[in-house]
Amino acid sequence: VTLANLYMQAGETAKAEEALKATVKLSPKSLTYRLNLAGLYWQTGRQAQARSLLSQNQAELSESETLELAGFYLRQRDVESARQTLAAAIKRQPKATRLKLGLSEVELAQGRPAAAEKILNEVAATSGSDRLEALSRLANLNLSRGQHEQALKQVESLLKADPASDKGHLLKGRILLVQGDFAGAVAELRTVIGHNPAEISAHILLAQAHLAAGQKGLAMDALNSAIKLN
């Protein structure tokens, strides 16, 4: 792989390709080696060849490897191939919640929030560790759609399961700020800052909450803290 990189830097694409093919031949089941070769194919306009290479042994990939493969496609802006990769893996492993979280991101990227919501609700109904992440994403999705009460219910479910979640308190602060409950927002955001004083977004939101409540001095204090951290 190092030799291939040197060839690429020297503009000798054909030699780089041969070096990468040699690594794949030595370890045909190595996703890393196939991704390296597929990346070269993609750079040189041979997307179909890259997809064909990466379609091999997909059923044998681990959950983390499947996510890595989907990530490769996303970096190439081939969202549909990422979606197909994750959907096929989930069909083989219907209880793989990490894959479902990944697919929900892809559905959102393709402008299908209803499909993403359906997937996230499936994960939120489980008892695994990914449930809290699903609740967080559902709350963010509903907040973005203006469904504040639903978002609040979901973030409260998150905080009931994990009362110390900074992500949950930050999100609840955002929701309460939008709803006009400035005192509630301040309380949630101060909780986040108490746990993690370096969380810039909490200081910025706190400044907004104080300003909305007419507390300009406190708003400036919070904003200055954010500027110092930045």
Side-chain angles (χ1 to χ4, degrees):
V1 176
T2 301
L3 181 60
N5 287 335
L6 291 172
Y7 281 137
M8 286 297 290
Q9 290 171 17
E12 298 187 63
T13 305
K15 289 183 178 180
E17 183 176 338
E18 287 307 312
L20 291 174
K21 282 181 176 178
T23 65
V24 172
K25 188 174 181 180
L26 284 170
S27 300
K29 291 188 177 182
S30 168
L31 177 63
T32 299
Y33 291 156
R34 285 187 286 128
L35 285 174
N36 289 333
L37 181 55
L40 184 147
Y41 287 153
W42 214 282
Q43 289 176 34
T44 52
R46 291 176 284 172
Q47 286 85 352
Q49 201 167 345
R51 292 190 190 95
S52 176
L53 174 66
L54 294 174
S55 68
Q56 299 168 20
N57 305 317
Q58 273 199 29
E60 299 174 19
L61 296 180
S62 67
E63 190 173 293
S64 59
E65 286 176 327
T66 299
L67 290 168
E68 187 179 358
L69 176 56
F72 170 85
Y73 282 128
L74 290 175
R75 288 192 297 276
Q76 312 308 322
R77 299 186 180 181
D78 185 358
V79 182
E80 180 55 25
S81 288
R83 189 194 69 78
Q84 290 176 8
T85 297
L86 291 167
I90 290 168
K91 192 172 182 179
R92 295 189 299 269
Q93 306 172 62
K95 294 183 179 180
T97 51
R98 283 181 64 210
L99 296 180
K100 289 183 178 183
L101 288 175
L103 182 57
S104 72
E105 286 187 42
V106 173
E107 295 289 13
L108 282 175
Q110 288 193 306
R112 292 197 286 259
E117 184 178 23
K118 180 180 177 182
I119 296 166
L120 290 172
N121 277 323
E122 289 177 8
V123 179
T126 67
S127 57
S129 59
D130 290 322
R131 174 176 178 265
L132 301 184
E133 180 62 27
L135 286 168
S136 173
R137 294 187 189 189
L138 280 167
N140 272 302
L141 177 59
N142 282 312
L143 178 59
S144 70
R145 297 191 295 195
Q147 297 175 349
H148 304 145
E149 288 300 325
Q150 185 64 20
L152 189 58
K153 287 179 183 177
Q154 285 154 343
V155 80
E156 285 177 344
S157 293
L158 188 163
L159 287 170
K160 183 178 180 180
D162 183 7
S165 170
D166 286 342
K167 180 185 287 188
H169 286 292
L170 185 67
L171 184 50
K172 187 174 180 181
R174 285 177 55 207
I175 296 168
L176 293 176
L177 178 58
V178 171
Q179 288 185 314
D181 182 355
F182 306 131
V186 166
E188 294 297 325
L189 297 166
R190 288 201 179 279
T191 297
V192 177
I193 293 168
H195 292 164
N196 183 9
E199 180 59 64
I200 294 178
S201 59
H203 290 280
I204 293 172
L205 287 169
L206 181 60
Q208 292 174 356
H210 279 310
L211 187 62
Q215 300 165 329
K216 294 183 180 179
L218 292 173
M220 286 304 300
D221 288 344
L223 187 57
N224 284 330
S225 294
I227 292 170
K228 288 177 183 177
L229 287 170
N230 195 37

